[in-house]
Amino acid sequence: MNRTSLRILFTAALALALLALAACSSSGEQAPSKPAYVSPYDWSGLAKEDGRYTYAEGGEVCSFTGIDVSEHQGAIDWNAVASDGIDFAFIRIGNRGATEGAVYLDERYVENMTGAREAGIPVGVYFFSQAITAEEALEEADFVLAMLGDAELAYPIVYDHEPVAGIEGRADGLSREQMTENALAFCTRIAEAGYEPMVYGNKRDIARFDLSQLEGIDVWFAEYGAATPSGQFDFSIWQYANDGTVAGVSTAVDLNILFIADAR
């Protein structure tokens, strides 16, 4: 084949490619886009009074108010907490060190569990993870289950994996894939033991998970100073403040609102 014939074939092929491109452009064909997120809640039913949120639908309140605590809150008068309108509490059961990786029992876990239950406050627990592998996440779940013994919980066991401010943590650079694998390992072990698992975090923390791989695992969302929560994913608890004031707690405390699915 001579150069003239090659040139003719090349020109014809280029023309066909340009025609195909023009046809696609003129038809307006585009890659399908992901549907916009729609919250299951009607935020017009959210109300705030004296620093605390409630949520109502159809004139019926369908939310509970809760706190979460650890050894950092010191000694707590749980009877005073109960008398101040607190419906539930999450108690830290333990944590993994952000630098050295050792696992610890929260110093006031037993005291807080006993006090809350004696005051009639239903509880869940959370573990502050710094797991860097699925094996470490399983170790954390097994630690939680061992410390619980045969205790019954009214609320979930929560996997809380977040950076620690001001230090370079051992788990800060984990990939999204590894974060998801760790969370799934922890939550699966918890579910196998008969408890309800949950993951916690703010928008940045939750974005480190592939939520499609954690389907069926509830989310506890943290966002402070917002008139309404802005998370673009489903969640059942919103932690809306870290500077709350509650009777019986001598320090600032996190405030949470639980949206009651059964009432909707």
Side-chain angles (χ1 to χ4, degrees):
M1 185 178 291
N2 58 35
R3 291 184 179 179
T4 300
S5 298
L6 286 172
R7 188 160 49 247
I8 291 171
L9 286 173
F10 175 77
T11 302
L14 179 61
L16 287 172
L18 290 172
L19 284 172
L21 180 61
C24 289
S25 299
S26 62
S27 67
E29 291 182 3
Q30 296 180 353
S33 59
K34 185 178 180 180
Y37 174 76
V38 178
S39 173
Y41 307 112
D42 176 3
W43 296 127
S44 66
L46 197 63
K48 190 176 186 181
E49 183 177 355
D50 296 329
R52 297 184 187 178
Y53 278 102
T54 57
Y55 177 74
E57 289 183 356
E60 179 182 359
V61 174
C62 46
S63 64
F64 288 147
T65 297
I67 60 174
D68 56 275
V69 300
S70 71
E71 62 193 45
H72 300 298
Q73 271 65 53
I76 295 174
D77 181 342
W78 284 100
N79 288 317
V81 170
S83 69
D84 196 18
I86 298 303
D87 302 307
F88 68 93
F90 278 95
I91 295 169
R92 190 176 77 163
I93 192 168
N95 69 288
R96 186 185 289 276
T99 54
E100 86 289 1
V103 173
Y104 302 95
L105 180 70
D106 187 283
E107 291 180 0
R108 292 191 180 269
Y109 161 68
V110 174
E111 175 185 323
N112 283 331
M113 286 287 283
T114 302
R117 285 176 164 166
E118 289 180 350
I121 298 176
V123 300
V125 300
Y126 72 97
F127 185 89
F128 186 86
S129 171
Q130 291 290 289
I132 59 175
T133 65
E135 289 73 22
E136 285 193 349
L138 287 173
E139 178 191 10
E140 293 171 352
D142 288 340
F143 173 85
V144 170
L145 295 172
M147 293 303 101
L148 281 173
D150 58 356
E152 295 183 0
L153 297 175
Y155 287 86
I157 295 175
V158 184
Y159 182 73
D160 173 9
H161 196 303
E162 55 186 301
V164 178
I167 68 169
E168 185 175 341
R170 66 198 300 270
D172 290 354
L174 294 185
S175 68
R176 191 164 182 251
E177 179 181 14
Q178 188 64 60
M179 284 286 294
T180 304
E181 184 181 344
N182 294 354
L184 187 58
F186 181 97
C187 291
T188 299
R189 181 63 57 87
I190 293 302
E192 288 171 348
Y195 293 97
E196 180 183 355
M198 175 180 270
V199 295
Y200 165 92
N202 59 26
K203 280 190 285 191
R204 182 183 62 183
D205 301 324
I206 299 301
R208 296 179 74 191
F209 298 129
D210 179 356
L211 290 181
S212 69
Q213 300 298 312
L214 302 178
E215 188 174 355
I217 299 172
D218 217 341
V219 174
W220 175 6
F221 175 51
E223 183 178 36
Y224 309 141
T228 58
S230 62
Q232 298 296 292
F233 42 80
D234 289 353
F235 52 88
S236 62
I237 302 177
W238 175 30
Q239 185 185 82
Y240 58 84
N242 62 351
D243 57 357
T245 300
V246 173
V249 185
S250 60
T251 68
V253 66
D254 297 336
L255 293 176
N256 303 275
I257 179 171
L258 166 68
F259 303 99
I260 308 170
D262 292 343
R264 295 169 44 228

